[in-house]
Amino acid sequence: MATDQEPVDQDPFRVPVLDLLRLAVPAAVVGIGCALTLYALSRLAGLLEGWIWDDLSAALGVDRNSALWIIGVLTATGLLIGLVVRYVPGHAGPDPATQELVAAPLGLRVLPGLALALVLMLAGGVSLGPENPIIGINVGLAVALGLRFLPKVKANVWLAIAVSGTIGAMFGTPVAAALLLSELDAGDRRIPLWDRLFAPLVAATAGALTMLQLEDLDLSVQVPAYTYGGLEDLGYAIAIAVGAAAVGLVAVYLFVPMHRLFQRIGHPVLMLTAGGLLLGLLGALGGEVTLFKGLSQMQELPGLAATTTALGFLAMAGIKLAALLVAATSGFRGGRIFPALFVGVALGFAVHSAWDAVPLALAVGAAVVGIVVAATRNGWLSLFMAVAVVPQVSLLVGLVLATLAAWLVVTNRPPLLDPVSPDARPGS
């Protein structure tokens, strides 16, 4: 049927290629800077960790693995970070229990205190990773410097570039950054996805290459090669992922009450000291393998398989999960991905130890998917982390199904977050 007016053709939204190229060099510079910041703070934390846990304990004639030393160091770490949060300008940023992995840019005055809290946290054995603070530091620097020298580029673009550069550096590959940003779907949706991802992926690639030049990044856990065993294996993967996601949801539902309980203490020094004491008690119970962010510790689990029962691995997972909850809700500045990885790997070893018919690689990968989906609500990132921990292509079919099954468990559930105002924190 004819109409009075012919439809007007609309040109598709076009992104000038020259604009993408102009931003490539600044994006690469930001990616390199993100890697150098991460490397410098991690190295500083490593040096401090060696001094505390090796040199100082030896000088005092105390076994670094003794309950007394673990409790003392964690309590002292909580006290020191509490002093930073209370008295250093900027209070080391917002309460991390109220923040997503990617949050609004922080002011420059906040960053030195946040960096100090991060170094103390990593060195002191707290069960958190560096991801949230280092992303906050790099985003704050990139946005401030980017708007200063290239004011025509918007703050949200600098944010995406810095997040990608940091993720690329942290995991040694730009793939994780691409998966994270594609799920966030940030930016103007009229612009094609790969145009939006162009500069961030340049930053992620530059960050990954820089970090790989500086140190050897390896997230993998040594497990036997996996051979696909048919539909039975797919059933195992789904069941394990669902169970791990359910364990993660227990932590999710405990998160807000625990955070509100710590907030009732009312003073950050007391709150973090109490949190450190609890972490010390948990560390004394679980041993050194349940301390720190969990990356090198999870790689120790294959060596413990011959002497550890399923209940032993389950206890490690439970203690690490409890430590993650205490650290994240009591004010320590850190991220939750790496300790969640440890929990997933320990759960996988527990399942295999209890039922050796379940292939170890499949059990570990599926458990990692389930717990990380519950902790992050990011399916792509969870799948990436599972493949990084157990880098075997033959697992992909089972892990994708495991991710989908775990997603059904966690969807519409609350996140691992307390949705209160970031300004309603002690010491602000």
Side-chain angles (χ1 to χ4, degrees):
M1 178 177 177
T3 59
D4 294 334
Q5 294 182 341
E6 293 294 329
V8 178
D9 291 334
Q10 294 184 350
D11 291 333
F13 192 94
R14 297 176 64 84
V15 177
V17 173
L18 284 179
D19 287 353
L20 298 179
L21 292 175
R22 289 190 190 101
L23 199 52
V25 172
V29 171
V30 170
I32 293 169
C34 290
L36 293 177
T37 304
L38 172 61
Y39 179 75
L41 292 176
S42 298
R43 288 286 293 175
L44 180 58
L47 291 173
L48 183 59
E49 175 190 330
W51 180 79
I52 293 171
W53 291 91
D54 294 324
D55 299 341
L56 184 58
S57 63
L60 296 174
V62 180
D63 182 359
R64 61 170 286 164
N65 295 317
S66 68
L68 178 64
W69 187 251
I70 290 173
I71 293 170
V73 169
L74 268 298
T75 304
T77 300
L79 172 62
L80 291 174
I81 295 177
L83 292 171
V84 171
V85 172
R86 178 62 184 89
Y87 295 109
V88 172
H91 306 292
D95 182 350
T98 68
Q99 298 289 295
E100 299 279 2
L101 179 63
V102 179
L106 300 172
L108 289 178
R109 69 188 294 268
V110 176
L111 305 186
L114 181 57
L116 179 56
L118 170 60
V119 169
L120 291 171
M121 183 275 298
L122 291 175
V126 176
S127 290
L128 292 174
E131 53 272 25
N132 290 55
I134 195 62
I135 287 175
I137 291 167
N138 283 336
V139 166
L141 289 171
V143 170
L145 295 175
L147 293 179
R148 171 69 176 83
F149 293 104
L150 290 174
K152 291 184 179 180
V153 180
K154 296 180 180 179
N156 66 313
V157 176
W158 291 118
L159 182 148
I161 288 172
V163 169
S164 296
T166 306
I167 296 294
M170 192 177 305
F171 297 118
T173 171
V175 174
L179 295 175
L180 177 65
L181 287 183
S182 65
E183 189 155 333
L184 291 176
D185 200 20
D188 187 342
R189 296 192 181 188
R190 295 176 302 164
I191 302 174
L193 176 63
W194 277 90
D195 288 327
R196 279 178 279 153
L197 291 179
F198 186 86
L201 285 184
V202 170
T205 303
L209 290 174
T210 302
M211 187 59 73
L212 290 174
Q213 291 297 313
L214 296 172
E215 66 177 38
D216 181 24
L217 293 177
D218 183 13
L219 299 180
S220 65
V221 173
Q222 296 300 315
V223 295
Y226 170 73
T227 302
Y228 176 62
L231 295 179
E232 187 177 26
D233 278 6
L234 300 183
Y236 290 148
I238 291 171
I240 293 167
V242 167
V247 170
L249 283 183
V250 172
V252 166
Y253 283 109
L254 289 174
F255 192 87
V256 172
M258 288 181 63
H259 182 236
R260 304 286 170 85
L261 184 61
F262 276 112
Q263 291 292 308
R264 291 180 63 182
I265 295 175
H267 195 287
V269 177
L270 297 176
M271 183 173 69
L272 279 150
T273 303
L277 175 60
L278 289 175
L279 289 175
L281 294 171
L282 288 168
L285 179 63
E288 190 176 356
V289 73
T290 61
L291 300 178
F292 300 98
K293 68 181 180 182
L295 175 56
S296 60
Q297 289 73 28
M298 76 183 186
Q299 293 171 333
E300 296 174 12
L301 296 183
L304 301 176
T307 58
T308 307
T309 65
L311 287 178
F313 283 118
L314 191 61
M316 291 180 196
I319 290 169
K320 189 68 173 183
L321 188 59
L324 186 163
L325 279 172
V326 170
T329 57
S330 61
F332 286 94
R333 272 48 181 170
R336 303 154 202 169
I337 295 175
F338 286 106
L341 275 181
F342 178 95
V343 174
V345 174
L347 287 174
F349 271 86
V351 170
H352 176 73
S353 297
W355 298 281
D356 58 8
V358 181
L360 181 57
L362 183 69
V364 169
V368 165
V369 160
I371 198 74
V372 177
V373 161
T376 66
R377 300 306 162 84
N378 190 306
W380 282 126
L381 185 61
S382 304
L383 185 59
F384 168 82
M385 298 310 300
V387 173
V389 170
V390 191
Q392 299 184 29
V393 176
S394 54
L395 285 168
L396 277 175
V397 172
L399 292 183
V400 170
L401 285 176
T403 304
L404 293 172
W407 188 263
L408 292 178
V409 175
V410 305
T411 190
N412 297 321
R413 307 293 182 181
L416 199 64
L417 193 74
D418 188 355
V420 300
S421 169
D423 293 327
R425 65 185 190 276
S428 59

mmCIF file of all heavy atoms in Angstrom, residues 308-331:
data_model
loop_
_atom_site.group_PDB
_atom_site.id
_atom_site.type_symbol
_atom_site.label_atom_id
_atom_site.label_comp_id
_atom_site.label_asym_id
_atom_site.label_seq_id
_atom_site.Cartn_x
_atom_site.Cartn_y
_atom_site.Cartn_z
ATOM 1 N N THR A 308 45.987 -35.431 51.232
ATOM 2 C CA THR A 308 44.820 -34.681 51.687
ATOM 3 C C THR A 308 43.546 -35.385 51.254
ATOM 4 O O THR A 308 43.414 -35.797 50.095
ATOM 5 C CB THR A 308 44.835 -33.246 51.126
ATOM 6 O OG1 THR A 308 46.085 -32.629 51.441
ATOM 7 C CG2 THR A 308 43.700 -32.413 51.710
ATOM 8 N N THR A 309 42.611 -35.511 52.156
ATOM 9 C CA THR A 309 41.332 -36.149 51.849
ATOM 10 C C THR A 309 40.370 -35.149 51.226
ATOM 11 O O THR A 309 40.627 -33.938 51.186
ATOM 12 C CB THR A 309 40.711 -36.715 53.126
ATOM 13 O OG1 THR A 309 40.394 -35.619 54.007
ATOM 14 C CG2 THR A 309 41.658 -37.670 53.824
ATOM 15 N N ALA A 310 39.239 -35.668 50.795
ATOM 16 C CA ALA A 310 38.194 -34.794 50.252
ATOM 17 C C ALA A 310 37.735 -33.794 51.310
ATOM 18 O O ALA A 310 37.517 -32.605 51.005
ATOM 19 C CB ALA A 310 37.020 -35.638 49.763
ATOM 20 N N LEU A 311 37.606 -34.250 52.553
ATOM 21 C CA LEU A 311 37.204 -33.329 53.622
ATOM 22 C C LEU A 311 38.271 -32.267 53.873
ATOM 23 O O LEU A 311 37.955 -31.122 54.201
ATOM 24 C CB LEU A 311 36.926 -34.112 54.903
ATOM 25 C CG LEU A 311 35.635 -34.930 54.927
ATOM 26 C CD1 LEU A 311 35.517 -35.702 56.239
ATOM 27 C CD2 LEU A 311 34.416 -34.016 54.743
ATOM 28 N N GLY A 312 39.533 -32.650 53.699
ATOM 29 C CA GLY A 312 40.609 -31.684 53.861
ATOM 30 C C GLY A 312 40.532 -30.579 52.827
ATOM 31 O O GLY A 312 40.662 -29.377 53.156
ATOM 32 N N PHE A 313 40.323 -30.932 51.558
ATOM 33 C CA PHE A 313 40.177 -29.921 50.509
ATOM 34 C C PHE A 313 38.907 -29.084 50.723
ATOM 35 O O PHE A 313 38.905 -27.872 50.486
ATOM 36 C CB PHE A 313 40.146 -30.576 49.134
ATOM 37 C CG PHE A 313 41.488 -31.016 48.635
ATOM 38 C CD1 PHE A 313 41.738 -32.360 48.376
ATOM 39 C CD2 PHE A 313 42.504 -30.098 48.436
ATOM 40 C CE1 PHE A 313 42.984 -32.765 47.902
ATOM 41 C CE2 PHE A 313 43.756 -30.497 47.973
ATOM 42 C CZ PHE A 313 43.993 -31.833 47.707
ATOM 43 N N LEU A 314 37.848 -29.747 51.167
ATOM 44 C CA LEU A 314 36.609 -29.027 51.436
ATOM 45 C C LEU A 314 36.813 -28.015 52.564
ATOM 46 O O LEU A 314 36.296 -26.882 52.506
ATOM 47 C CB LEU A 314 35.506 -30.012 51.797
ATOM 48 C CG LEU A 314 34.073 -29.465 51.861
ATOM 49 C CD1 LEU A 314 33.655 -28.910 50.506
ATOM 50 C CD2 LEU A 314 33.107 -30.557 52.310
ATOM 51 N N ALA A 315 37.584 -28.400 53.578
ATOM 52 C CA ALA A 315 37.880 -27.471 54.678
ATOM 53 C C ALA A 315 38.686 -26.279 54.180
ATOM 54 O O ALA A 315 38.430 -25.124 54.577
ATOM 55 C CB ALA A 315 38.632 -28.199 55.785
ATOM 56 N N MET A 316 39.661 -26.520 53.302
ATOM 57 C CA MET A 316 40.431 -25.409 52.728
ATOM 58 C C MET A 316 39.520 -24.443 51.986
ATOM 59 O O MET A 316 39.635 -23.214 52.128
ATOM 60 C CB MET A 316 41.483 -25.941 51.758
ATOM 61 C CG MET A 316 42.616 -26.709 52.387
ATOM 62 S SD MET A 316 43.767 -27.269 51.095
ATOM 63 C CE MET A 316 44.706 -28.510 51.997
ATOM 64 N N ALA A 317 38.614 -24.991 51.182
ATOM 65 C CA ALA A 317 37.687 -24.141 50.434
ATOM 66 C C ALA A 317 36.800 -23.338 51.370
ATOM 67 O O ALA A 317 36.586 -22.135 51.165
ATOM 68 C CB ALA A 317 36.835 -24.996 49.495
ATOM 69 N N GLY A 318 36.290 -23.991 52.416
ATOM 70 C CA GLY A 318 35.416 -23.295 53.352
ATOM 71 C C GLY A 318 36.130 -22.198 54.122
ATOM 72 O O GLY A 318 35.592 -21.092 54.318
ATOM 73 N N ILE A 319 37.365 -22.478 54.566
ATOM 74 C CA ILE A 319 38.130 -21.473 55.311
ATOM 75 C C ILE A 319 38.484 -20.295 54.401
ATOM 76 O O ILE A 319 38.389 -19.131 54.805
ATOM 77 C CB ILE A 319 39.394 -22.118 55.909
ATOM 78 C CG1 ILE A 319 39.006 -23.079 57.035
ATOM 79 C CG2 ILE A 319 40.354 -21.051 56.435
ATOM 80 C CD1 ILE A 319 40.139 -23.951 57.516
ATOM 81 N N LYS A 320 38.868 -20.589 53.162
ATOM 82 C CA LYS A 320 39.205 -19.506 52.224
ATOM 83 C C LYS A 320 37.982 -18.654 51.923
ATOM 84 O O LYS A 320 38.076 -17.417 51.848
ATOM 85 C CB LYS A 320 39.769 -20.098 50.931
ATOM 86 C CG LYS A 320 40.356 -19.060 49.988
ATOM 87 C CD LYS A 320 41.595 -18.445 50.570
ATOM 88 C CE LYS A 320 42.297 -17.529 49.577
ATOM 89 N NZ LYS A 320 43.550 -16.980 50.134
ATOM 90 N N LEU A 321 36.836 -19.283 51.752
ATOM 91 C CA LEU A 321 35.618 -18.529 51.480
ATOM 92 C C LEU A 321 35.239 -17.663 52.676
ATOM 93 O O LEU A 321 34.835 -16.504 52.522
ATOM 94 C CB LEU A 321 34.477 -19.484 51.130
ATOM 95 C CG LEU A 321 33.177 -18.835 50.638
ATOM 96 C CD1 LEU A 321 33.425 -18.016 49.380
ATOM 97 C CD2 LEU A 321 32.111 -19.896 50.380
ATOM 98 N N ALA A 322 35.393 -18.203 53.880
ATOM 99 C CA ALA A 322 35.118 -17.418 55.083
ATOM 100 C C ALA A 322 36.089 -16.247 55.191
ATOM 101 O O ALA A 322 35.701 -15.110 55.543
ATOM 102 C CB ALA A 322 35.216 -18.303 56.322
ATOM 103 N N ALA A 323 37.361 -16.486 54.865
ATOM 104 C CA ALA A 323 38.350 -15.415 54.912
ATOM 105 C C ALA A 323 38.046 -14.342 53.876
ATOM 106 O O ALA A 323 38.196 -13.135 54.143
ATOM 107 C CB ALA A 323 39.748 -15.989 54.688
ATOM 108 N N LEU A 324 37.619 -14.757 52.688
ATOM 109 C CA LEU A 324 37.221 -13.789 51.666
ATOM 110 C C LEU A 324 36.088 -12.903 52.187
ATOM 111 O O LEU A 324 36.114 -11.671 52.023
ATOM 112 C CB LEU A 324 36.788 -14.541 50.403
ATOM 113 C CG LEU A 324 36.457 -13.760 49.131
ATOM 114 C CD1 LEU A 324 36.478 -14.704 47.934
ATOM 115 C CD2 LEU A 324 35.090 -13.072 49.180
ATOM 116 N N LEU A 325 35.093 -13.519 52.806
ATOM 117 C CA LEU A 325 33.962 -12.757 53.338
ATOM 118 C C LEU A 325 34.394 -11.772 54.418
ATOM 119 O O LEU A 325 33.989 -10.604 54.413
ATOM 120 C CB LEU A 325 32.909 -13.716 53.894
ATOM 121 C CG LEU A 325 31.963 -14.363 52.895
ATOM 122 C CD1 LEU A 325 31.111 -15.421 53.587
ATOM 123 C CD2 LEU A 325 31.066 -13.312 52.253
ATOM 124 N N VAL A 326 35.219 -12.230 55.347
ATOM 125 C CA VAL A 326 35.674 -11.349 56.424
ATOM 126 C C VAL A 326 36.476 -10.187 55.849
ATOM 127 O O VAL A 326 36.256 -9.019 56.201
ATOM 128 C CB VAL A 326 36.518 -12.138 57.448
ATOM 129 C CG1 VAL A 326 37.194 -11.180 58.436
ATOM 130 C CG2 VAL A 326 35.645 -13.136 58.197
ATOM 131 N N ALA A 327 37.413 -10.490 54.950
ATOM 132 C CA ALA A 327 38.262 -9.442 54.390
ATOM 133 C C ALA A 327 37.458 -8.432 53.581
ATOM 134 O O ALA A 327 37.674 -7.218 53.682
ATOM 135 C CB ALA A 327 39.348 -10.067 53.519
ATOM 136 N N ALA A 328 36.513 -8.927 52.779
ATOM 137 C CA ALA A 328 35.753 -8.033 51.906
ATOM 138 C C ALA A 328 34.731 -7.202 52.658
ATOM 139 O O ALA A 328 34.349 -6.117 52.197
ATOM 140 C CB ALA A 328 35.052 -8.855 50.821
ATOM 141 N N THR A 329 34.270 -7.664 53.805
ATOM 142 C CA THR A 329 33.222 -6.940 54.531
ATOM 143 C C THR A 329 33.755 -6.092 55.674
ATOM 144 O O THR A 329 33.024 -5.262 56.217
ATOM 145 C CB THR A 329 32.167 -7.912 55.098
ATOM 146 O OG1 THR A 329 32.813 -8.875 55.944
ATOM 147 C CG2 THR A 329 31.437 -8.629 53.971
ATOM 148 N N SER A 330 35.035 -6.276 56.031
ATOM 149 C CA SER A 330 35.581 -5.523 57.162
ATOM 150 C C SER A 330 36.405 -4.314 56.738
ATOM 151 O O SER A 330 36.969 -3.631 57.585
ATOM 152 C CB SER A 330 36.431 -6.435 58.053
ATOM 153 O OG SER A 330 37.535 -6.965 57.334
ATOM 154 N N GLY A 331 36.489 -4.062 55.433
ATOM 155 C CA GLY A 331 37.122 -2.834 54.971
ATOM 156 C C GLY A 331 38.461 -2.976 54.294
ATOM 157 O O GLY A 331 39.046 -1.973 53.876
#
